[in-house]
């Protein structure tokens, strides 16, 4: 019997998973994507280099700083613009705050609501709102930042920002202990997620998955360590890796990443240098092609930008984590109970708008 | 066995809740909040950089309503915004070379008529008066961790 | 430094060039982490198998198509990376080939890199490139009943969005 999950999803974005079901077991699954495809890459050829920023940060709006930063890295390389150190630190602080916010959204919806745990949904969104307030103080907008044009950030840290951010991080560290008690050590969650959807290390490498899915299967790969950008080369942090490869390991990777993000932000606030935050960038993209990559919350995000000496790029290619992790879905959801499918889907943190662009 | 989790839930029952009763209580917006734009007509030179950089192409140029010639604006044209398309990125504000555009905390822009969403330069030049903003909430060392208090200062716009 | 001993990136290029002297048509090294190899499309599967087993690049991060109507070509780029070999784990090796714009056909990489499955489907749909040997080549992102031309080609223009 064929069961079609979707394409309307109140929780995640719109994707259709065509499941072939035999009794209570899923025999195979065929993801049918493209319900939110807008032609991002084609539209990007009609906008100038700076005007593209609000357009290209929309695919995964809860992770907007990373999508923005990955796009300006190749443009800065082609134009020969170097961002000053203070600008790199501010971008790093904003990016790590964005990572915490994206993981809180994941925790609330993909791990919480999809497994039926509505308390963590309330906790996750409530705490995320405090971070949104601070980003509003920094950039002026709650979710659609457009904060990093080529050359550096648009604004400097406001006067009270450092004090309020430190206050928030102290509060959030206490909340993470509560999250652990209510969700990650909850016997019900452990029973639902441990041992489900096991992706072994060789398979993860062969399928080319990325992000927390890869680190939950024992491969220690993080673009922030492999090819440091921003201020990451001067900051100390760990890359959490778990060996089991099941859904619970993927949950725990994101939980530990939130703690590491707090550590990074604290160090960056201490070591913040003085000086200018941005350089003026030219308005023309010179001829050539450049590749830039960042570690977004869902995995490695690679951009190819090709210019032809005009103000508009001639080709923008986006390779993001959600699209690469899609290949793991038909592989993992085989011969499992129907009730295990939301847990595996939530563990992959698939963001349909980002995958479809 | 479940005592740890149940304690987590029960300890919040007797705490004070917080609800912001919009529209009687509004959040205190930070300086530089990206609401609608303010146009200073005595500074605008009609160069057109705002229209060129706009990602949504929502800015077009019109002559001023009173027909008066402004000395710094040789072509006598001022920007007109179409707020149905604007994404409030404020690249126009940042890239304006004379500083003729500014941020404002005005976000209540809903209309019943679609034509009213096109804002003429004179309408943009009006400084918004949104009244006092009353409350602010932020993380604190309080018992629940989050406090909610009325703001003392008035919004200076 | 580079004049005394070849860097790791140049080493990889030289290994590839000595193994496939005719098939590798050009190369470009931009910094220690970006390598571009242009190759002849007829020997694609041999080169891909050597890049995976001999050089250690075990997955494909993405496949990009670039349309060049003035040269009557469609360029297809494979972005490969390595998770298992630590010496080259920070390198992105881009394999580039040029296909005839009237009839773009190339062998499918799914037998070598299973991670290329969905990327090839997307390039087939957006540029019209046919990948021979792909197990399930059908449309991915556009509507099920879309029968128009491949959308990302430069012939498809949108004049209402402005000048390009």
């Amino acid at each position: 019997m064929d069961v079609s999950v979707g394409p309307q999803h109140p929780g995640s974005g719109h994707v259709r998973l065509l499941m072939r079901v035999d009794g209570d077991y899923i025999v195979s699954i065929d993801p049918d994507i493209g319900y939110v495809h807008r032609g991002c890459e084609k539209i990007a050829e009609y906008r100038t280099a700076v005007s593209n920023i609000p357009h290209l940060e929309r695919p995964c709006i809860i992770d907007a700083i990373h999508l923005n930063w990955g796009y300006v890295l190749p443009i800065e390389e082609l134009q020969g613009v170097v961002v000053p150190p203070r600008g790199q630190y501010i971008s790093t602080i904003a990016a790590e705050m964005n990572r915490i916010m994206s993981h809180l959204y994941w925790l609330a919806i993909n791990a919480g609501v999809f497994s039926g745990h509505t308390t963590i949904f309330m906790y996750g969104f409530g705490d995320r709102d405090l971070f949104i307030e601070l980003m509003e103080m920094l950039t002026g907008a709650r979710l659609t930042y457009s904060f990093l044009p080529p050359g550096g950030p648009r604004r400097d840290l406001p006067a009270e920002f450092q004090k309020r951010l430190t206050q928030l991080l102290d509060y959030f560290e206490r909340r993470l202990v509560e999250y652990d008690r209510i969700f990650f050590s909850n016997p019900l969650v452990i029973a639902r997620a441990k041992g489900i959807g096991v992706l072994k290390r060789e398979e993860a490498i062969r399928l080319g998955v990325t992000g927390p899915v890869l680190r939950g299967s024992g491969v220690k790969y993080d673009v922030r360590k492999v090819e440091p950008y921003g201020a990451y080369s001067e900051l100390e942090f760990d890359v959490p890796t778990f060996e089991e490869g099941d859904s619970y390991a993927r949950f725990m990777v994101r939980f530990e990443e939130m703690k590491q993000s707090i550590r990074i932000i604290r160090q960056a606030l201490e070591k913040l240098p003085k000086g200018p935050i941005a350089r003026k960038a030219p308005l023309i993209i010179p001829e050539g092609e450049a590749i830039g990559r960042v570690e977004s919350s869902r995995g490695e995000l690679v951009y190819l930008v090709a210019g032809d000496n005009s103000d508009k790029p001639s080709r923008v290619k986006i390779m993001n984590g959600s699209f690469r992790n899609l290949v793991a879905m038909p592989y993992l959801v085989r011969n499992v109970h129907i009730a295990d499918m939301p847990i595996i889907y939530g563990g992959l943190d698939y963001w349909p708008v980002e995958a479809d662009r | 066995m479940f005592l740890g989790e149940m304690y987590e839930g029960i300890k919040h029952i007797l705490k004070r809740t917080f609800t912001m009763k919009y529209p009687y209580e509004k959040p205190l917006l930070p300086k530089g909040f990206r609401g609608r734009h303010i146009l200073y007509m005595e500074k605008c030179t009609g160069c057109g950089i705002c229209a060129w950089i706009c990602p949504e192409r929502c800015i077009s140029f019109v002559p001023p309503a009173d027909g008066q010639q402004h000395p710094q604006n040789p072509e006598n044209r001022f920007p007109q915004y179409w707020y149905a398309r604007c994404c409030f990125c404020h690249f126009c504000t940042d890239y304006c070379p004379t500083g003729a555009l500014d941020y404002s905390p005005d976000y209540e822009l809903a209309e019943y008529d679609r034509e009213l969403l096109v804002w003429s330069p004179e309408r943009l030049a009006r400084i918004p008066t949104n009244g006092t903003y009353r409350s602010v909430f932020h993380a604190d060392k309080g018992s629940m961790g989050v406090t909610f208090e009325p703001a003392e200062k008035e919004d200076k716009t | 430094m580079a004049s005394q001993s070849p860097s790791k990136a140049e080493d990889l290029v030289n290994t590839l060039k000595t193994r496939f002297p005719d098939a590798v048509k050009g190369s470009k090294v931009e910094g220690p982490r970006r390598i571009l190899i242009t190759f002849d499309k007829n020997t694609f599967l041999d080169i891909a198998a050597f890049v995976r087993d001999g050089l250690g690049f075990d997955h494909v991060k993405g496949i990009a198509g670039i349309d060049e109507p003035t040269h009557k070509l469609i360029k297809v780029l494979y972005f490969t990376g390595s998770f298992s070999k630590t010496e080259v784990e920070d390198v992105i090796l881009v394999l580039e080939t040029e296909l005839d714009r009237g009839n773009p056909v190339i062998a499918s990489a799914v037998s070598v890199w299973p991670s290329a499955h969905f990327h090839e489907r997307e390039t087939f749909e957006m540029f019209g490139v046919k990948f021979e040997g792909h197990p399930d080549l059908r449309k991915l992102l556009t509507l099920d009943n879309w029968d128009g031309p491949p959308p990302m080609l430069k012939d498809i223009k949108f004049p209402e969005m402005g000048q390009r």
Side-chain angles (χ1 to χ4, degrees):
Chain A
M1 187 171 87
D2 278 346
V3 174
S4 171
V5 179
Q8 277 82 17
H9 276 265
S12 95
H14 301 301
V15 63
R16 181 167 173 243
L17 303 169
L18 196 54
M19 302 197 302
R20 186 140 288 168
V21 166
D22 173 28
D24 192 36
Y25 283 91
I26 303 180
V27 173
S28 70
I29 196 171
D30 174 30
D32 180 16
I33 71 176
Y35 281 89
V36 275
H37 174 66
R38 300 186 294 131
C40 251
E41 299 175 355
K42 183 83 179 176
I43 296 177
E45 298 174 10
Y46 284 85
R47 298 188 180 201
T48 63
V50 172
S51 309
N52 251 328
I53 290 174
H55 169 66
L56 287 176
E57 71 174 359
R58 293 298 198 267
C60 189
I61 191 61
I62 60 173
D63 205 9
I65 298 269
H66 287 114
L67 267 75
N68 189 349
W69 207 354
Y71 167 68
V72 299
L73 280 177
I75 292 189
E76 284 166 2
E77 190 183 313
L78 282 174
Q79 293 176 335
V81 174
V82 176
V83 180
R86 190 176 168 96
Q88 305 269 28
Y89 271 80
I90 293 180
S91 311
T92 310
I93 293 176
E96 289 304 311
M97 282 176 66
N98 219 183
R99 190 187 307 276
I100 295 181
M101 287 151 74
S102 176
H103 282 332
L104 279 174
Y105 189 104
W106 163 81
L107 181 61
I109 301 236
N110 286 21
V113 171
F114 287 176
S115 56
H117 199 306
T118 42
T119 306
I120 199 71
F121 166 68
M122 294 298 182
Y123 279 23
F125 269 110
D127 292 334
R128 182 168 167 259
D129 219 75
L130 301 170
F131 280 93
I132 288 180
E133 274 248 309
L134 276 179
M135 289 301 279
E136 188 185 49
M137 194 198 248
L138 175 65
T139 68
R142 283 172 61 96
L143 217 50
T144 59
Y145 311 125
S146 306
F147 188 53
L148 304 173
R154 282 165 82 177
R155 297 189 197 182
D156 206 342
L157 301 181
E160 294 199 324
F161 186 77
Q162 189 149 348
K163 175 176 106 109
R164 283 190 53 177
L165 182 56
T166 323
Q167 230 175 357
L168 174 61
L169 291 179
D170 292 334
Y171 162 78
F172 190 58
E173 269 183 337
R174 281 180 281 132
R175 284 293 267 184
L176 280 179
V177 174
E178 287 185 28
Y179 286 3
D180 188 26
R181 255 188 282 167
I182 207 171
F183 188 78
F184 292 98
S185 308
N186 195 337
L188 295 172
V189 173
I190 295 182
R192 277 202 80 176
K194 242 193 173 39
I196 305 292
V198 178
L199 186 66
K200 294 206 253 309
R201 190 172 191 269
E202 298 79 32
E203 282 303 312
I205 296 178
R206 196 179 70 100
L207 291 175
V209 294
T210 180
V213 180
L214 183 68
R215 292 194 279 277
S217 295
V219 181
K220 198 175 176 124
Y221 190 89
D222 190 325
V223 179
R224 296 174 289 173
K225 290 280 193 199
V226 158
E227 187 181 311
Y229 55 97
Y232 289 109
S233 47
E234 302 169 19
L235 302 172
E236 269 185 32
F237 60 101
D238 298 324
V239 175
T241 319
F242 287 79
E243 304 295 325
E244 300 89 25
D246 57 2
S247 273
Y248 190 69
R250 299 192 267 270
F251 285 15
M252 289 305 290
V253 165
R254 293 188 181 95
F255 183 58
E256 296 292 324
E257 274 188 7
M258 282 200 268
K259 293 187 186 163
Q260 294 300 319
S261 286
I262 298 179
R263 194 172 155 200
I264 295 176
I265 300 177
R266 283 219 164 100
Q267 285 177 46
L269 282 176
E270 263 177 67
K271 293 186 178 177
L272 198 59
K274 296 208 197 309
I277 52 168
R279 295 261 148 76
K280 264 186 153 25
L283 296 170
I284 303 256
I285 307 180
E287 187 133 4
E289 293 171 2
I291 301 173
R293 52 176 170 163
V294 295
E295 178 79 23
S296 76
S297 316
R298 278 157 188 79
E300 180 186 359
L301 178 57
V302 187
Y303 276 84
L304 166 81
V305 177
D308 60 355
N309 250 335
S310 76
D311 55 352
K312 303 184 168 73
S314 76
R315 175 80 168 105
V316 177
K317 169 74 186 166
I318 311 167
M319 296 166 260
N320 47 36
S322 291
F323 193 65
R324 280 170 66 181
N325 288 344
L326 185 61
V327 72
M329 223 185 295
Y331 179 78
L332 288 178
V333 185
R334 267 186 313 191
N335 301 326
V336 293
H337 290 276
I338 292 185
D340 292 333
M341 195 272 287
I343 298 284
I344 301 178
Y345 180 85
L348 290 178
D349 201 3
Y350 178 71
W351 191 260
V353 190
E354 189 188 38
D356 288 352
R357 282 155 280 137
Chain B
M1 184 183 58
F2 285 109
L3 283 182
E5 293 81 26
M6 287 178 70
Y7 167 69
E8 286 301 319
I10 293 176
K11 82 178 183 194
H12 290 294
I13 288 182
L14 296 174
K15 298 225 173 109
R16 193 177 58 122
T17 58
F18 53 90
T19 307
M20 192 183 302
K21 302 186 183 75
Y22 186 85
Y24 308 110
E25 300 171 349
K26 294 188 196 173
L28 180 72
L29 295 170
K31 188 162 143 352
F33 178 78
R34 303 202 317 226
R36 70 131 168 129
H37 308 77
I38 300 180
L39 174 69
Y40 300 119
M41 287 178 76
E42 60 278 2
K43 287 194 195 165
C44 174
T45 60
C47 62
I49 286 184
C50 52
W52 174 76
I53 200 110
C54 178
E56 319 293 336
R57 287 170 220 268
C58 66
I59 305 181
S60 50
F61 282 91
V62 293
D66 52 2
Q68 206 185 16
Q69 182 73 20
H70 292 251
Q72 86 282 359
N73 196 330
E75 294 179 36
N76 216 26
R77 56 178 201 166
F78 290 91
Q80 166 187 280
Y81 276 70
W82 186 10
Y83 275 112
R85 273 195 181 176
C86 177
C87 69
F88 295 92
C89 63
H90 278 259
F91 277 132
C92 49
T93 318
D94 283 349
Y95 276 72
C96 176
T98 54
L101 287 167
D102 201 4
Y103 302 92
S104 82
D106 192 7
Y107 54 89
E108 290 154 340
L109 305 170
E111 304 283 351
Y112 280 103
D113 241 331
R114 285 195 92 177
E115 289 81 26
L116 287 175
L117 282 178
V118 179
W119 283 53
S120 65
E122 289 75 24
R123 198 172 163 201
L124 283 173
R126 276 185 239 148
I127 310 288
T129 50
N130 269 337
T132 54
Y133 289 94
R134 274 212 38 212
S135 43
V136 60
F137 67 98
H138 56 261
D140 197 14
K141 285 205 289 292
S143 58
M144 197 158 70
V146 178
T147 60
F148 175 66
E149 64 199 28
E152 304 303 326
K153 34 193 189 309
E154 263 196 40
D155 189 32
K156 299 182 190 40
T157 46
Chain C
M1 223 35 123
S3 57
Q4 283 163 0
S5 62
S7 65
K8 159 185 78 172
E10 288 168 10
D11 253 339
L12 290 170
V13 174
N14 290 337
T15 325
L16 206 52
K17 277 191 175 154
T18 40
R19 180 83 167 72
F20 295 96
D22 327 303
V24 173
K25 296 207 283 208
S27 72
K28 201 164 42 151
V29 174
E30 288 170 14
R33 299 184 182 115
R34 305 277 186 262
I35 307 176
L36 176 74
I37 304 268
T38 316
F39 65 94
D40 177 26
K41 66 173 173 148
N42 296 322
T43 50
F44 175 49
L45 286 178
D46 301 325
I47 292 190
F50 178 68
V51 165
R52 183 189 65 177
D53 302 321
L55 300 182
F57 287 86
D58 43 35
H59 67 279
V60 166
K61 295 185 200 285
I63 300 180
I66 301 187
D67 185 28
E68 294 194 354
T70 45
H71 303 288
K72 302 213 188 345
L73 295 170
I74 294 182
K75 291 203 289 198
V76 178
L77 285 81
Y78 295 78
F79 294 77
T80 57
S82 171
F83 287 143
S84 40
K85 200 167 171 196
T86 358
E87 302 89 51
V88 293
E89 73 175 357
D90 56 344
V91 175
I92 297 187
L93 174 67
V94 184
L95 297 166
E96 176 185 4
T97 184
E98 292 166 359
L99 305 175
D100 177 31
R101 197 165 187 266
N103 183 22
V105 179
I106 190 172
S108 165
V110 172
S111 50
V112 177
W113 288 303
S115 43
H117 185 107
F118 283 98
H119 296 114
E120 289 193 346
R121 273 177 74 177
E122 187 196 347
T123 315
F124 160 68
E125 161 188 52
M126 293 289 167
F127 285 90
V129 176
K130 292 190 202 30
F131 292 91
E132 290 177 335
H134 193 277
D136 187 19
L137 199 63
R138 59 191 157 106
K139 287 201 293 277
L140 185 68
L141 293 174
T142 46
L143 294 172
D144 289 337
N145 54 0
W146 167 259
D147 56 358
M152 284 293 289
L153 293 177
K154 297 269 202 250
D155 315 332
I156 319 292
K157 291 196 214 288
F158 297 103
E160 66 268 11
M161 288 214 291
Q163 295 283 68
R164 169 65 195 95

